[in-house]
């Protein structure tokens, strides 16, 4: 719901500072949702299909980028006005509302239910997900510590405990640096294209990734990961 609220506020921004503030808040909302969604999938899915589902989930970002570009082209052709950017930013409300509607049918995590007294419901959901009868064991009921509440729930201090500190650093730092590079290039791509000019097209065609063979190779790798399940092959974690 935060994504919907801040997307609407972006369309109502009255100056550059308010727009920057609302976009920053929107980025926080989206950024918080991504690891939660990935963690949820990793927790409820069996090891058989977990990898391909996670790859598919993260690939939706690329689909969103493509959809955003298409929306921008359509809006500028239908309404080439200086304030058309408000329509483009407001369009983000529609997929957000769709996700909210779809998530109404998402089941609770069986692991969480087993740790919080919902053993019967945990077995029912587990059976529906795995297709085989499920039972709750003593190990399923165990919880090392209670979930943090209030501001501690936002900070998740256990991630910085001695046990998890190394994993947190080697997960967060590379991801942060990758985002700087990825979104930095994305933000300035229109400026770079305008500055370099039409010669860029010929230059990109010479690059292997922009040839038909390169594009087909990238597409085949993606299909193999998501549909073929190579992300679930030996070498990846197989925790049940």
């Amino acid at each position: 719901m935060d994504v919907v609220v801040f997307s609407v506020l972006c369309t109502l921004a009255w100056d550059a500072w308010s727009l920057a503030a609302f976009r920053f808040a929107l980025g926080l909302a989206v950024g918080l949702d991504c690891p939660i969604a990935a963690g949820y999938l990793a927790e409820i899915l069996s090891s058989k299909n977990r990898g391909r589902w996670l790859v598919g989930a993260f690939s939706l970002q690329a689909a969103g980028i493509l959809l955003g570009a298409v929306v921008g082209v359509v809006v500028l052709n239908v309404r080439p006005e200086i304030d058309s950017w408000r329509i483009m930013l407001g369009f983000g409300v529609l997929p957000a509302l769709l996700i909210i509607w779809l998530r109404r049918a998402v089941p609770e995590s069986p692991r969480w239910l087993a740790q919080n007294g919902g053993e019967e419901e945990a077995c029912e959901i587990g059976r529906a997900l795995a297709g085989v009868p499920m039972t709750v064991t003593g190990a399923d009921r165990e919880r090392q510590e209670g979930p943090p509440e209030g501001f501690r729930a936002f900070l998740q201090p256990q991630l910085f405990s001695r046990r998890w500190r190394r994993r947190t650093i080697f997960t967060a730092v590379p991801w942060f640096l990758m985002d700087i590079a990825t979104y930095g290039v994305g933000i300035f791509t229109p400026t770079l294209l305008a500055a370099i000019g039409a010669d860029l097209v010929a230059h990109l065609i010479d690059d292997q990734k922009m040839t038909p063979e390169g594009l087909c190779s990238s597409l085949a790798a993606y299909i193999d990961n998501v549909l073929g399940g190579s992300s679930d092959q030996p070498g990846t974690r197989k925790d049940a």
Side-chain angles (χ1 to χ4, degrees):
M1 185 58 71
D2 291 340
V3 175
V4 174
V5 172
F6 290 121
S7 293
V8 172
L9 289 176
C10 285
T11 67
L12 302 176
W14 52 89
D15 57 23
W17 288 106
S18 61
L19 177 60
F22 294 144
R23 294 293 288 176
F24 179 78
L26 178 61
L28 285 179
V30 174
L32 289 171
D33 186 79
C34 286
I36 293 174
Y40 172 79
L41 289 175
E43 184 170 325
I44 70 168
L45 294 175
S46 66
S47 59
K48 180 180 179 181
N49 299 318
R50 185 182 301 153
R52 71 182 69 182
W53 275 98
L54 286 173
V55 171
F58 277 101
S59 68
L60 290 177
Q61 180 180 6
I65 293 173
L66 179 60
L67 178 60
V70 172
V71 170
V73 171
V74 172
V75 169
L76 290 177
N77 276 276
V78 174
R79 191 178 183 276
E81 303 293 338
I82 194 171
D83 62 344
S84 294
W85 60 269
R86 297 182 185 273
I87 300 175
M88 299 179 198
L89 296 184
F91 183 84
V93 173
L94 299 181
L97 289 174
L98 176 62
I99 293 298
I100 292 174
W101 182 76
L102 292 175
R103 284 183 175 178
R104 297 184 308 164
V106 170
E108 184 58 82
S109 164
R111 296 181 187 273
W112 185 89
L113 289 170
Q115 294 174 352
N116 291 271
E119 296 183 12
E120 183 176 348
E121 186 178 358
C123 292
E124 292 178 359
I125 295 175
R127 182 171 59 253
L129 292 173
V132 295
M134 305 290 289
T135 58
V136 175
T137 65
D140 295 326
R141 301 186 187 93
E142 291 181 1
R143 184 166 54 192
Q144 296 182 352
E145 59 183 25
E149 299 180 357
F151 192 63
R152 286 173 58 85
F154 176 76
L155 294 178
Q156 294 294 325
Q158 68 270 25
L159 293 177
F160 302 96
S161 63
R162 185 173 183 178
R163 178 184 179 186
W164 298 103
R165 187 183 304 129
R166 180 182 178 89
R167 298 183 185 182
T168 300
I169 292 174
F170 280 94
T171 300
V173 173
W175 192 281
F176 177 74
L177 296 176
M178 180 199 68
D179 277 352
I180 291 179
T182 301
Y183 295 113
V185 171
I187 290 172
F188 290 102
T189 294
T191 304
L192 294 174
L193 291 176
I196 295 174
D199 291 340
L200 179 67
V201 177
H203 175 72
L204 289 177
I205 293 299
D206 291 334
D207 187 85
Q208 181 180 1
K209 293 182 179 178
M210 294 302 294
T211 63
E213 295 82 0
L215 291 174
C216 290
S217 176
S218 299
L219 180 60
Y222 169 75
I223 294 175
D224 181 50
N225 269 278
V226 178
L227 301 181
S230 65
S231 53
D232 294 309
Q233 298 304 312
T236 58
R237 286 197 63 169
K238 289 287 187 178
D239 296 333

